[in-house]
Amino acid sequence: MIRNIRFLRWAADKSFTTGKSTATAGASAQWNAGIVAQPRCGIATCLKPVSAMPAVSIDQHSAIFSIASRKIHTKGERELVEFLAEEIVAEKKASPTATIPTSLNGFAITCNKAEVELTKSSEREKVTISFNVNHTVDMEGEEAETTENKQEFSAMKSRPQFEVDIARGGTTLSFTCSYLPGEAQEGEYNDVFGIDEVTIYQGEWNDKVYAVAGDVLDGYLYDLLMNFLEEKGISNEFAEKMSDFASAYEHAKYVELLEAISKFTVEKK
């Protein structure tokens, strides 16, 4: 990044330097920190349509915000705007693509701000997967290597808790699932996600509906329910693809947030 930038010092004159420059010689702002990690978008393969993210050079971005910053009266606001100018450019450059799929393995995708829903219908039932990308991003693995002048980080991925609702008529069988930590070692097979909770209800769900935790289910029943989900299309492979999608979508929302903060700061009331 830059989203993962770690400040080791703040000079008295409020200027700072990065271990990896993201600006050209003509850029107006000087950046500065001790260590910069890799772009936080990670290795996601699916992206939200970044129509609101036009390609802008660092020089152009710096010039725009240099003009805007003249209208800002406080030093703190000016420093914030200059930082955001560089941050937005770096994050946009880190985006591998500017398109997003409208479906994933036969599931139609709809997005509403931080919420995502995937649906697939047949004559017999409707399967709905829903999740929220807020607070779902973390480092994938541990810090790879640390030296005196360099620190490397693993990719950042979104691994949200998600709901799977399988509706037939007026009855819904519902699962709450979470991604599991760790990776399978060579020769081993580990599930990518697990069942946190299972419930079944008529009509609309409410707090009175009984639910059972996945970790107290009979082991064989748990395995059968995981097989049941796989038959509905929610397999380990699908879960990995959904995590990639969530990572890319969360990254796009993060850039939108940076742009909104910048606009708010320079906006003339």
Side-chain angles (χ1 to χ4, degrees):
M1 128 153 131
I2 288 197
R3 178 168 181 181
N4 299 323
I5 196 167
R6 296 187 176 182
F7 293 95
L8 299 184
R9 63 178 178 275
W10 179 273
D13 61 356
K14 300 297 184 183
S15 68
F16 40 97
T17 52
T18 59
K20 181 178 179 182
S21 174
T22 57
T24 63
S28 62
Q30 288 294 325
W31 289 91
N32 303 298
I35 299 170
V36 179
Q38 65 189 50
R40 60 173 300 283
C41 67
I43 57 173
T45 57
C46 310
L47 273 179
K48 172 188 183 297
V50 196
S51 56
M53 303 180 184
V56 180
S57 71
I58 294 177
D59 285 334
Q60 288 174 316
H61 225 295
S62 298
I64 293 171
F65 281 92
S66 177
I67 295 171
S69 64
R70 294 172 193 165
K71 300 178 182 179
I72 300 173
H73 299 293
T74 71
K75 186 177 181 181
E77 287 181 339
R78 182 175 297 107
E79 289 173 346
L80 176 59
V81 169
E82 290 174 349
F83 180 88
L84 288 172
E86 301 291 344
E87 178 81 340
I88 291 167
V89 169
E91 292 292 347
K92 286 182 178 180
K93 286 182 66 177
S95 299
T97 180
T99 60
I100 188 174
T102 57
S103 65
L104 180 64
N105 284 28
F107 285 85
I109 300 173
T110 57
C111 303
N112 181 16
K113 298 180 180 179
E115 296 184 343
V116 178
E117 187 173 275
L118 298 86
T119 56
K120 181 169 65 174
S121 298
S122 67
E123 293 182 1
R124 189 182 183 198
E125 63 194 15
K126 178 179 180 181
V127 181
T128 303
I129 306 170
S130 56
F131 59 87
N132 188 300
V133 296
N134 286 344
H135 314 298
T136 61
V137 174
D138 57 15
M139 290 291 184
E140 185 181 29
E142 302 294 330
E143 293 181 7
E145 179 184 349
T146 303
T147 64
E148 183 177 350
N149 299 317
K150 183 178 180 181
Q151 191 171 25
E152 295 181 2
F153 292 86
S154 298
M156 296 190 75
K157 291 198 71 175
S158 172
R159 295 160 66 86
Q161 185 179 68
F162 57 95
E163 301 286 334
V164 180
D165 295 328
I166 303 170
R168 294 179 182 174
T171 303
T172 301
L173 175 60
S174 182
F175 299 84
T176 301
C177 302
S178 293
Y179 285 90
L180 300 175
E183 296 181 357
Q185 301 301 315
E186 186 175 352
E188 294 182 348
Y189 176 83
N190 290 340
D191 285 323
V192 173
F193 70 96
I195 298 172
D196 297 335
E197 185 179 271
V198 183
T199 187
I200 188 167
Y201 56 89
Q202 299 284 333
E204 296 294 325
W205 180 89
N206 59 67
D207 290 331
K208 296 179 181 179
V209 174
Y210 173 76
V212 61
D215 57 5
V216 301
L217 287 171
D218 175 84
Y220 185 57
L221 174 58
Y222 181 94
D223 290 341
L224 290 174
L225 290 173
M226 288 292 289
N227 292 341
F228 177 78
L229 287 174
E230 184 172 5
E231 288 182 348
K232 303 304 175 184
I234 301 97
S235 62
N236 286 317
E237 181 183 1
F238 175 83
E240 289 282 19
K241 291 180 180 179
M242 190 167 68
S243 176
D244 289 340
F245 173 86
S247 300
Y249 185 67
E250 193 278 341
H251 178 255
K253 302 310 291 183
Y254 174 66
V255 174
E256 287 182 11
L257 174 68
L258 297 182
E259 292 179 321
I261 294 173
S262 179
K263 181 179 178 182
F264 176 84
T265 306
V266 302
E267 211 166 46
K268 195 170 184 179
K269 302 299 181 184

